[in-house]
Amino acid sequence: KVNRGIRETILNEPHRFLAYNNGISATAEEIVTKRTDEGDLVIQSIKGLQIVNGGQTVASIHRALRIDRCKHLEQLGVQAKITVVKANLLDELVPKISRFSNTQNTVNEADFASNDPFHIVIEQLANTTWAPGEQTRWFYERARGQYEVSRNRITGNSVAKRRKFDEQTPKNQKFTKVELAKFYNCWEQKPEIVGRGSQKNFVNFMTHIAKDHPDFKPNEDFYKQLIAKTIVYKTAEKIARKHKFSSYRANAVAYTVALVAFKTVGRFNLHGVWETQEVPEALYNLLDDWMPLVWQAIIDTAGTRNVTEWAKKTDCWNEMQLLDVTIPTELEDELREGDPLPTVGAKARNGKVAQLSTLDRQNINRVIQQDAEFLLKLGMWGKTSGELKNIQISIVLTVATYAGGGWDQIPSGKQAKHVVAALEIANDAGLTGMPVTE
């Protein structure tokens, strides 16, 4: 609506543009000015120009030039406030200027994170990583509306180029910052956070990345697993639409995906989903079977409480974890195929590791998702706090050396059992600093 109104003024009443438009706010690293012969101060050059408010104005003028072929743009007057910011203060001040100058407009928290290094790297990975077969790629919309902007910029008025863009970057393979946070947090088993809304969930996601993992930088493997999680979530959404839930559909999707992550304990083959660009039949059937049960359980456990508010509570997630559902044999067989087998312990020495129980396999997978730094922290905490038994401390520190060696050695089922017990004790005591589990 706003863009359309700006465009109509440009095309039909350009002489009134200055009166109607709010103008733009921008920052710059440096401005060089001079006086004309008439005594007017004019700008000679600008270094590091960045628009922080007025994107719709600039985009509408750009469209009028490129798409509408407007011939009278010289009649437009645009007022501008340009703030010169020292280079060493750019990272600190520009986001604040952007935030405060946009307070009168509808701007979401996620919009302010567009230039965060994490999202820039994800965009770069999306642009350079093609799906298997190299026929299509996923599009990461780091800023709102970026997909359409890129589509128009690349294709212009060419029908052939537009068709090629749509084939290589189909709209159903587009995902945004807030969707990334949703897909990621569901797999991190935080459906109650997802239920609090896209903006609160996004803030939680960014806080988790920035505070717990300040040096974390996405790589291609992280990106591929992220796309796999996206495919799982989008499949769950399709299944939810098929079931035609009368309400709470988004909660049913988030909790079902989180429950899959919880029940499979890091054993699910996300790499396989990336390779095929679809979920295996066994997982599809599981999502289809579990989702009505999860949906009904959310409603039943709410009791007399508001269901939407109940779904935002950690207690709701705790209840869902107790839901009496099991991994079907078909999927369990697929999970076993990708399980890492112990290289340590009597069973490994005797060649009997294939006889591991499902619980042993779950424990081993949970353990190898930890990194050496955290396991060392866990062992030292157990020693100084007295919360862990000596045998638990000893095994945790031993397994930390396996982690430090890149998991060339896989712990035995017995070792994994002790480490998981230590993890549960630490979790109950509020020990923080868990690593990104990828």
Side-chain angles (χ1 to χ4, degrees):
K1 261 174 145 179
V2 173
N3 286 14
R4 186 162 59 245
I6 295 173
R7 177 171 173 265
E8 288 173 356
T9 301
I10 293 171
L11 298 178
N12 303 320
E13 298 180 285
H15 56 289
R16 293 183 175 175
F17 192 85
L18 183 66
Y20 291 171
N21 190 263
N22 289 331
I24 66 173
S25 294
T27 60
E29 294 178 46
E30 181 184 306
I31 294 182
V32 178
T33 61
K34 72 172 183 177
R35 291 285 178 183
T36 65
D37 294 339
E38 292 77 24
D40 295 327
L41 186 68
V42 297
I43 295 173
Q44 277 190 300
S45 63
I46 302 179
K47 178 183 177 183
L49 180 68
Q50 182 176 339
I51 295 164
V52 294
N53 189 10
Q56 288 174 305
T57 296
V58 176
S60 297
I61 295 173
H62 181 263
R63 179 184 173 87
L65 173 68
R66 292 291 298 275
I67 306 298
D68 300 319
R69 307 295 185 188
C70 183
K71 302 295 185 182
H72 54 250
L73 288 182
E74 70 277 357
Q75 296 182 34
L76 299 184
V78 183
Q79 60 179 324
K81 180 185 76 172
I82 307 175
T83 305
V84 178
V85 181
K86 293 180 180 179
N88 63 326
L89 296 176
L90 281 173
D91 290 342
E92 175 188 353
L93 290 183
V94 171
K96 290 183 179 179
I97 294 172
S98 176
R99 183 186 297 270
F100 300 145
S101 65
N102 279 288
T103 52
Q104 294 177 320
N105 304 322
T106 303
V107 181
N108 296 321
E109 281 292 327
D111 294 326
F112 296 113
S114 294
N115 291 329
D116 185 275
F118 175 89
H119 297 289
I120 291 173
V121 173
I122 292 291
E123 182 184 34
Q124 292 168 347
L125 288 165
N127 290 338
T128 57
T129 308
W130 289 77
E134 299 191 352
Q135 298 299 308
T136 66
R137 63 183 177 88
W138 288 74
F139 188 96
Y140 183 54
E141 197 169 75
R142 182 166 60 86
R144 275 195 290 175
Q146 196 173 10
Y147 180 87
E148 288 299 332
V149 169
S150 295
R151 187 170 181 261
N152 290 329
R153 177 176 56 81
I154 293 171
T155 64
N157 293 324
S158 171
V159 175
K161 287 183 178 179
R162 182 159 296 192
R163 186 184 300 114
K164 183 178 180 181
F165 181 90
D166 291 345
E167 288 173 353
Q168 293 183 337
T169 319
K171 203 162 190 175
N172 65 350
Q173 289 185 196
K174 179 199 80 170
F175 64 110
T176 66
K177 293 192 302 298
V178 294
E179 287 175 329
L180 180 156
K182 179 168 62 176
F183 305 150
Y184 184 90
N185 270 356
C186 276
W187 207 258
E188 288 290 294
Q189 302 169 38
K190 298 179 180 179
E192 78 283 13
I193 304 295
V194 173
R196 294 171 192 175
S198 59
Q199 296 304 312
K200 287 184 179 179
N201 178 66
F202 182 81
V203 170
N204 175 277
F205 168 75
M206 289 303 296
T207 301
H208 169 73
I209 292 293
K211 185 181 291 184
D212 295 345
H213 320 289
D215 299 322
F216 176 66
K217 184 178 179 180
N219 56 23
E220 187 173 301
D221 187 57
F222 175 91
Y223 174 75
K224 289 179 178 179
Q225 293 200 42
L226 179 63
I227 295 301
K229 294 169 186 176
T230 300
I231 292 170
V232 171
Y233 195 96
K234 286 178 175 283
T235 302
E237 286 182 315
K238 290 178 183 177
I239 291 171
R241 287 194 291 270
K242 186 185 77 170
H243 283 292
K244 297 180 179 179
F245 299 126
S246 58
S247 54
Y248 319 122
R249 187 170 72 187
N251 299 122
V253 171
Y255 272 87
T256 303
V257 172
L259 195 60
V260 169
F262 173 72
K263 290 289 187 178
T264 55
V265 199
R267 300 170 65 209
F268 185 73
N269 183 13
L270 289 168
H271 182 70
V273 175
W274 163 262
E275 287 296 323
T276 61
Q277 293 290 290
E278 62 182 9
V279 301
E281 184 179 0
L283 177 60
Y284 183 95
N285 293 336
L286 179 146
L287 290 167
D288 197 19
D289 292 341
W290 283 11
M291 196 169 296
L293 302 176
V294 172
W295 178 77
Q296 191 62 56
I298 293 172
I299 296 172
D300 291 345
T301 55
T304 58
R305 291 165 288 205
N306 179 282
V307 176
T308 302
E309 292 303 312
W310 168 241
K312 299 176 183 178
K313 306 290 186 183
T314 302
D315 286 346
C316 180
W317 173 230
N318 291 339
E319 290 283 353
M320 292 307 108
Q321 292 176 58
L322 300 175
L323 198 61
D324 187 20
V325 291
T326 56
I327 302 293
T329 303
E330 183 184 9
L331 182 57
E332 181 60 38
D333 289 343
E334 288 188 16
L335 296 177
R336 283 176 177 269
E337 288 180 11
D339 278 345
L341 297 177
T343 59
V344 176
K347 285 187 176 181
R349 288 192 295 272
N350 297 331
K352 297 181 179 180
V353 288
Q355 299 174 9
L356 288 171
S357 69
T358 297
L359 181 59
D360 285 335
R361 292 169 180 267
Q362 290 177 341
N363 286 341
I364 291 168
N365 275 274
R366 182 173 175 185
V367 169
I368 65 175
Q369 290 180 65
Q370 318 307 322
D371 63 16
E373 182 182 356
F374 178 74
L375 289 171
L376 286 171
K377 178 180 177 181
L378 175 63
M380 297 310 296
W381 171 82
K383 184 179 292 186
T384 56
S385 67
E387 294 286 343
L388 300 183
K389 298 176 182 177
N390 288 335
I391 187 172
Q392 291 173 325
I393 296 169
S394 175
I395 291 175
V396 166
L397 294 176
T398 297
V399 172
T401 65
Y402 302 165
W407 295 114
D408 288 336
Q409 290 178 281
I410 304 297
S412 67
K414 186 176 180 180
Q415 285 177 314
K417 180 181 178 181
H418 282 294
V419 176
V420 167
L423 287 169
E424 294 294 343
I425 293 170
N427 185 60
D428 291 341
L431 183 65
T432 60
M434 293 291 286
V436 176
T437 53
E438 291 305 332

PDB file of all heavy atoms in Angstrom, residues 6 46 72 74 83 162 232 271 370 373 387 398 411 415 427 431:
ATOM      1  N   ILE A   6       3.465   5.838  -2.937  1.00  0.00           N
ATOM      2  CA  ILE A   6       4.675   6.591  -3.314  1.00  0.00           C
ATOM      3  C   ILE A   6       4.849   6.574  -4.824  1.00  0.00           C
ATOM      4  O   ILE A   6       5.149   7.598  -5.447  1.00  0.00           O
ATOM      5  CB  ILE A   6       5.917   5.983  -2.620  1.00  0.00           C
ATOM      6  CG1 ILE A   6       5.814   6.146  -1.099  1.00  0.00           C
ATOM      7  CG2 ILE A   6       7.200   6.633  -3.134  1.00  0.00           C
ATOM      8  CD1 ILE A   6       6.917   5.430  -0.327  1.00  0.00           C
ATOM      9  N   ILE A  46      30.515  11.309  -0.912  1.00  0.00           N
ATOM     10  CA  ILE A  46      30.082  10.629   0.314  1.00  0.00           C
ATOM     11  C   ILE A  46      30.725   9.252   0.345  1.00  0.00           C
ATOM     12  O   ILE A  46      30.707   8.536  -0.657  1.00  0.00           O
ATOM     13  CB  ILE A  46      28.548  10.472   0.384  1.00  0.00           C
ATOM     14  CG1 ILE A  46      27.855  11.833   0.305  1.00  0.00           C
ATOM     15  CG2 ILE A  46      28.135   9.743   1.661  1.00  0.00           C
ATOM     16  CD1 ILE A  46      26.341  11.744   0.341  1.00  0.00           C
ATOM     17  N   HIS A  72      10.659  11.775 -15.762  1.00  0.00           N
ATOM     18  CA  HIS A  72      10.678  13.086 -15.102  1.00  0.00           C
ATOM     19  C   HIS A  72      11.151  13.018 -13.644  1.00  0.00           C
ATOM     20  O   HIS A  72      10.685  13.783 -12.798  1.00  0.00           O
ATOM     21  CB  HIS A  72       9.275  13.736 -15.159  1.00  0.00           C
ATOM     22  CG  HIS A  72       8.176  12.869 -14.611  1.00  0.00           C
ATOM     23  ND1 HIS A  72       7.212  12.306 -15.405  1.00  0.00           N
ATOM     24  CD2 HIS A  72       7.905  12.463 -13.344  1.00  0.00           C
ATOM     25  CE1 HIS A  72       6.371  11.607 -14.655  1.00  0.00           C
ATOM     26  NE2 HIS A  72       6.783  11.704 -13.405  1.00  0.00           N
ATOM     27  N   GLU A  74      13.789  14.037 -12.419  1.00  0.00           N
ATOM     28  CA  GLU A  74      14.490  15.261 -11.992  1.00  0.00           C
ATOM     29  C   GLU A  74      13.543  16.237 -11.311  1.00  0.00           C
ATOM     30  O   GLU A  74      13.977  17.183 -10.638  1.00  0.00           O
ATOM     31  CB  GLU A  74      15.169  15.933 -13.198  1.00  0.00           C
ATOM     32  CG  GLU A  74      14.225  16.569 -14.203  1.00  0.00           C
ATOM     33  CD  GLU A  74      13.658  15.562 -15.199  1.00  0.00           C
ATOM     34  OE1 GLU A  74      14.051  14.378 -15.124  1.00  0.00           O
ATOM     35  OE2 GLU A  74      12.835  15.958 -16.033  1.00  0.00           O
ATOM     36  N   THR A  83      23.749  11.569   8.712  1.00  0.00           N
ATOM     37  CA  THR A  83      24.564  11.655   9.924  1.00  0.00           C
ATOM     38  C   THR A  83      25.935  11.044   9.654  1.00  0.00           C
ATOM     39  O   THR A  83      26.021   9.889   9.227  1.00  0.00           O
ATOM     40  CB  THR A  83      23.895  10.895  11.084  1.00  0.00           C
ATOM     41  OG1 THR A  83      22.561  11.394  11.259  1.00  0.00           O
ATOM     42  CG2 THR A  83      24.672  11.067  12.375  1.00  0.00           C
ATOM     43  N   ARG A 162      13.214 -14.426 -16.169  1.00  0.00           N
ATOM     44  CA  ARG A 162      12.321 -14.618 -15.022  1.00  0.00           C
ATOM     45  C   ARG A 162      11.936 -16.079 -14.888  1.00  0.00           C
ATOM     46  O   ARG A 162      11.888 -16.636 -13.783  1.00  0.00           O
ATOM     47  CB  ARG A 162      11.080 -13.748 -15.186  1.00  0.00           C
ATOM     48  CG  ARG A 162      10.113 -13.828 -14.021  1.00  0.00           C
ATOM     49  CD  ARG A 162       9.208 -12.627 -13.961  1.00  0.00           C
ATOM     50  NE  ARG A 162       9.979 -11.403 -13.722  1.00  0.00           N
ATOM     51  CZ  ARG A 162       9.430 -10.227 -13.384  1.00  0.00           C
ATOM     52  NH1 ARG A 162       8.141 -10.125 -13.247  1.00  0.00           N
ATOM     53  NH2 ARG A 162      10.182  -9.169 -13.192  1.00  0.00           N
ATOM     54  N   VAL A 232      11.830 -30.771   6.879  1.00  0.00           N
ATOM     55  CA  VAL A 232      11.035 -31.523   7.856  1.00  0.00           C
ATOM     56  C   VAL A 232       9.873 -30.669   8.344  1.00  0.00           C
ATOM     57  O   VAL A 232       8.720 -31.126   8.408  1.00  0.00           O
ATOM     58  CB  VAL A 232      11.908 -31.983   9.042  1.00  0.00           C
ATOM     59  CG1 VAL A 232      11.035 -32.572  10.156  1.00  0.00           C
ATOM     60  CG2 VAL A 232      12.939 -33.014   8.590  1.00  0.00           C
ATOM     61  N   HIS A 271      21.371 -35.383   6.996  1.00  0.00           N
ATOM     62  CA  HIS A 271      22.124 -35.347   5.742  1.00  0.00           C
ATOM     63  C   HIS A 271      21.363 -36.077   4.634  1.00  0.00           C
ATOM     64  O   HIS A 271      21.362 -35.652   3.475  1.00  0.00           O
ATOM     65  CB  HIS A 271      23.500 -35.984   5.927  1.00  0.00           C
ATOM     66  CG  HIS A 271      24.362 -35.943   4.700  1.00  0.00           C
ATOM     67  ND1 HIS A 271      24.912 -34.775   4.212  1.00  0.00           N
ATOM     68  CD2 HIS A 271      24.739 -36.935   3.831  1.00  0.00           C
ATOM     69  CE1 HIS A 271      25.599 -35.036   3.113  1.00  0.00           C
ATOM     70  NE2 HIS A 271      25.514 -36.340   2.864  1.00  0.00           N
ATOM     71  N   GLN A 370      28.028 -33.379  22.269  1.00  0.00           N
ATOM     72  CA  GLN A 370      28.707 -32.418  23.146  1.00  0.00           C
ATOM     73  C   GLN A 370      30.119 -32.174  22.616  1.00  0.00           C
ATOM     74  O   GLN A 370      30.681 -33.015  21.923  1.00  0.00           O
ATOM     75  CB  GLN A 370      28.772 -32.941  24.585  1.00  0.00           C
ATOM     76  CG  GLN A 370      27.502 -33.602  25.099  1.00  0.00           C
ATOM     77  CD  GLN A 370      26.263 -32.753  24.937  1.00  0.00           C
ATOM     78  OE1 GLN A 370      26.298 -31.535  25.107  1.00  0.00           O
ATOM     79  NE2 GLN A 370      25.150 -33.386  24.582  1.00  0.00           N
ATOM     80  N   GLU A 373      35.085 -28.869  25.216  1.00  0.00           N
ATOM     81  CA  GLU A 373      35.087 -27.772  26.185  1.00  0.00           C
ATOM     82  C   GLU A 373      33.975 -27.937  27.209  1.00  0.00           C
ATOM     83  O   GLU A 373      34.188 -27.768  28.420  1.00  0.00           O
ATOM     84  CB  GLU A 373      34.929 -26.439  25.445  1.00  0.00           C
ATOM     85  CG  GLU A 373      34.965 -25.233  26.369  1.00  0.00           C
ATOM     86  CD  GLU A 373      34.767 -23.927  25.614  1.00  0.00           C
ATOM     87  OE1 GLU A 373      34.679 -23.957  24.366  1.00  0.00           O
ATOM     88  OE2 GLU A 373      34.680 -22.871  26.271  1.00  0.00           O
ATOM     89  N   GLU A 387      28.491 -32.645  43.113  1.00  0.00           N
ATOM     90  CA  GLU A 387      27.208 -33.145  42.621  1.00  0.00           C
ATOM     91  C   GLU A 387      27.353 -34.473  41.877  1.00  0.00           C
ATOM     92  O   GLU A 387      26.389 -35.230  41.760  1.00  0.00           O
ATOM     93  CB  GLU A 387      26.558 -32.112  41.691  1.00  0.00           C
ATOM     94  CG  GLU A 387      26.142 -30.811  42.376  1.00  0.00           C
ATOM     95  CD  GLU A 387      24.904 -30.988  43.233  1.00  0.00           C
ATOM     96  OE1 GLU A 387      24.190 -31.991  43.050  1.00  0.00           O
ATOM     97  OE2 GLU A 387      24.650 -30.126  44.097  1.00  0.00           O
ATOM     98  N   THR A 398      37.248 -38.585  30.682  1.00  0.00           N
ATOM     99  CA  THR A 398      37.793 -39.497  29.663  1.00  0.00           C
ATOM    100  C   THR A 398      37.114 -39.257  28.318  1.00  0.00           C
ATOM    101  O   THR A 398      37.771 -39.155  27.274  1.00  0.00           O
ATOM    102  CB  THR A 398      37.591 -40.969  30.087  1.00  0.00           C
ATOM    103  OG1 THR A 398      38.314 -41.215  31.295  1.00  0.00           O
ATOM    104  CG2 THR A 398      38.078 -41.910  28.998  1.00  0.00           C
ATOM    105  N   PRO A 411      32.418 -43.575  22.585  1.00  0.00           N
ATOM    106  CA  PRO A 411      32.265 -44.200  23.910  1.00  0.00           C
ATOM    107  C   PRO A 411      31.372 -45.433  23.863  1.00  0.00           C
ATOM    108  O   PRO A 411      30.516 -45.574  22.994  1.00  0.00           O
ATOM    109  CB  PRO A 411      31.634 -43.085  24.750  1.00  0.00           C
ATOM    110  CG  PRO A 411      30.980 -42.185  23.759  1.00  0.00           C
ATOM    111  CD  PRO A 411      31.847 -42.224  22.539  1.00  0.00           C
ATOM    112  N   GLN A 415      29.783 -46.199  29.156  1.00  0.00           N
ATOM    113  CA  GLN A 415      30.321 -44.849  29.346  1.00  0.00           C
ATOM    114  C   GLN A 415      29.263 -43.796  29.052  1.00  0.00           C
ATOM    115  O   GLN A 415      29.092 -42.832  29.801  1.00  0.00           O
ATOM    116  CB  GLN A 415      31.528 -44.643  28.420  1.00  0.00           C
ATOM    117  CG  GLN A 415      32.797 -45.346  28.847  1.00  0.00           C
ATOM    118  CD  GLN A 415      33.909 -45.150  27.837  1.00  0.00           C
ATOM    119  OE1 GLN A 415      33.690 -45.290  26.634  1.00  0.00           O
ATOM    120  NE2 GLN A 415      35.103 -44.823  28.315  1.00  0.00           N
ATOM    121  N   ASN A 427      21.954 -30.485  34.261  1.00  0.00           N
ATOM    122  CA  ASN A 427      20.811 -29.743  33.734  1.00  0.00           C
ATOM    123  C   ASN A 427      19.859 -29.349  34.854  1.00  0.00           C
ATOM    124  O   ASN A 427      19.357 -28.213  34.902  1.00  0.00           O
ATOM    125  CB  ASN A 427      20.087 -30.604  32.696  1.00  0.00           C
ATOM    126  CG  ASN A 427      18.953 -29.848  32.012  1.00  0.00           C
ATOM    127  OD1 ASN A 427      19.169 -28.821  31.378  1.00  0.00           O
ATOM    128  ND2 ASN A 427      17.743 -30.359  32.157  1.00  0.00           N
ATOM    129  N   LEU A 431      23.311 -25.896  35.075  1.00  0.00           N
ATOM    130  CA  LEU A 431      24.596 -25.657  34.426  1.00  0.00           C
ATOM    131  C   LEU A 431      24.361 -25.271  32.974  1.00  0.00           C
ATOM    132  O   LEU A 431      23.669 -25.972  32.240  1.00  0.00           O
ATOM    133  CB  LEU A 431      25.474 -26.908  34.480  1.00  0.00           C
ATOM    134  CG  LEU A 431      26.892 -26.760  33.895  1.00  0.00           C
ATOM    135  CD1 LEU A 431      27.705 -25.773  34.723  1.00  0.00           C
ATOM    136  CD2 LEU A 431      27.593 -28.103  33.832  1.00  0.00           C
TER     137      LEU A 431
END
